Amino acid sequence: MIRSKFSVSVHILSLMAGQPDEWLSSEYIASSLNSNPALVRKELSVLREAGLIESKEGKNGGSRLGKATKDIRMSDIFLLVKNGHVFGFAPNEPNPKCAVGARINGALDELFGEIDNSIFQKLQSITLAEFTKKYF
Amino acid sequence: MIRSKFSVSVHILSLMAGQPDEWLSSEYIASSLNSNPALVRKELSVLREAGLIESKEGKNGGSRLGKATKDIRMSDIFLLVKNGHVFGFAPNEPNPKCAVGARINGALDELFGEIDNSIFQKLQSITLAEFTKKYF
DNA sequence: TTGTACTGTAATTTTAAATATTACAGATTG
DNA sequence: CAATCTGTAATATTTAAAATTACAGTACAA
């Protein structure tokens, strides 16, 4: 998974959950994240494509939630930002002439799938509504 | 968690599991990993410190398992290489003047702890002996 | 109908993290 | 005592992540 995308997405969705009737600008979101608008927009486009948010272009535009907070699960966000397995393989292709080298990545791939699934199960049990209760 | 340390450690331990009576040199291990000896030695020192392996210096030296494969759990390796949470926080400190910014990392920290725990539970159920059965 | 304030996207630069390399003192064996 | 290994640190390189810049396109509002 890419380093911090999950945190960034949860942060964005939390801001929207707190002001469901406002169109939040990328500038505003960036200031809460202490980041910059272009990077936020990139992340917004991922969330939008998945239907979690909707955006409005032009003056007074911005983004807001596309679903009720109780209908957004933390696992939805996880699946969006996860790219390959959560755990990473070794940087180089192992030596195929070695008995272990030839097969380990297959075995790890299987294990990593199970790990991803454990995380998914956990996150599926938590909605954005429940999560944001912690600070609203 | 640091990118690929888990995979590298599992690979190393698997090699040793396959040749329990040999002292494997860092050179040999590196060739299976398609990596280099110095990096392998660094990882070996982590495993050694945890008692998972033992090493012998000098000529004909090397490393081998310090425990039976059935007594090494994948969670032991996980705890060694895990550094902070598996999931990462956003790169910058969020804006503390913002209601969400001020509290989100606390909420995420709690959630991330639960995720780490889900992974731990899963990995605790698998021994190195079971894992290596997949390719021996 | 035009200025302003947004989005969307791509290209580029910068920074930070991971990985690789080099080097060498110390240990052990034959 | 020569050869072969470890242990460790310092440095260099590579790669990935994040930040910045830029600008065309859209919508509102005066």
Side-chain angles (χ1 to χ4, degrees):
Chain A
M1 173 158 54
I2 292 121
R3 225 177 115 62
S4 57
K5 298 282 185 225
F6 183 83
S7 291
V8 170
S9 287
V10 170
H11 190 137
I12 292 173
L13 293 170
S14 294
L15 285 170
M16 294 177 181
Q19 302 169 76
D21 301 326
E22 302 291 329
W23 293 96
L24 305 183
S25 74
S26 58
E27 179 83 38
Y28 170 79
I29 295 169
S31 91
S32 174
L33 271 163
N34 229 326
S35 179
N36 68 82
L39 187 140
V40 168
R41 287 184 212 130
K42 214 170 189 176
E43 201 57 30
L44 288 172
S45 84
V46 174
L47 299 173
R48 183 170 52 246
E49 206 165 332
L52 299 188
I53 67 167
E54 52 189 8
S55 302
K56 195 172 73 164
E57 292 188 12
K59 194 170 181 182
N60 302 327
S63 301
R64 66 180 184 189
L65 288 183
K67 296 184 172 193
T69 55
K70 70 174 177 38
D71 295 325
I72 295 177
R73 297 185 173 274
M74 301 309 264
S75 53
D76 298 335
I77 306 167
F78 173 59
L79 292 181
L80 278 182
V81 300
K82 153 171 154 52
N83 182 256
H85 294 303
V86 170
F87 278 34
F89 291 100
N92 303 316
E93 197 63 28
N95 186 344
K97 293 181 195 159
C98 164
V100 169
R103 305 203 201 163
I104 188 157
N105 278 0
L108 284 175
D109 189 56
E110 195 178 316
L111 178 64
F112 290 175
E114 292 173 28
I115 291 170
D116 293 346
N117 197 51
S118 298
I119 296 170
F120 178 81
Q121 298 291 339
K122 176 73 200 175
L123 293 179
Q124 198 175 29
S125 73
I126 306 171
T127 65
L128 181 61
E130 286 159 359
F131 182 77
T132 56
K133 256 189 224 145
K134 292 184 185 173
Y135 43 85
F136 285 147
Chain B
M1 176 157 53
I2 292 123
R3 224 178 114 61
S4 57
K5 298 281 186 229
F6 182 83
S7 290
V8 170
S9 288
V10 170
H11 190 137
I12 291 173
L13 293 170
S14 295
L15 285 171
M16 294 176 181
Q19 301 166 76
D21 301 325
E22 303 290 328
W23 293 97
L24 305 183
S25 73
S26 58
E27 179 83 39
Y28 170 79
I29 296 170
S31 90
S32 174
L33 270 163
N34 227 327
S35 179
N36 68 80
L39 187 141
V40 168
R41 285 184 214 131
K42 213 171 189 176
E43 200 57 30
L44 288 172
S45 83
V46 175
L47 299 172
R48 183 171 51 245
E49 207 165 332
L52 301 188
I53 67 169
E54 53 190 7
S55 302
K56 195 173 74 164
E57 292 188 11
K59 194 171 179 183
N60 301 328
S63 301
R64 65 180 186 190
L65 289 183
K67 295 183 173 194
T69 54
K70 70 173 175 39
D71 295 325
I72 296 178
R73 296 184 174 276
M74 300 309 264
S75 53
D76 298 334
I77 307 167
F78 173 59
L79 292 181
L80 278 182
V81 300
K82 153 170 157 49
N83 181 258
H85 294 304
V86 170
F87 279 34
F89 291 100
N92 302 316
E93 198 63 27
N95 186 344
K97 293 182 195 158
C98 164
V100 169
R103 306 205 201 162
I104 189 156
N105 278 359
L108 284 175
D109 190 55
E110 194 177 318
L111 178 63
F112 290 174
E114 292 174 27
I115 291 170
D116 292 346
N117 197 50
S118 298
I119 296 169
F120 178 81
Q121 296 293 337
K122 175 73 200 176
L123 293 179
Q124 199 175 28
S125 72
I126 306 171
T127 65
L128 181 61
E130 285 158 1
F131 181 77
T132 55
K133 256 189 223 145
K134 291 184 186 175
Y135 44 85
F136 285 148

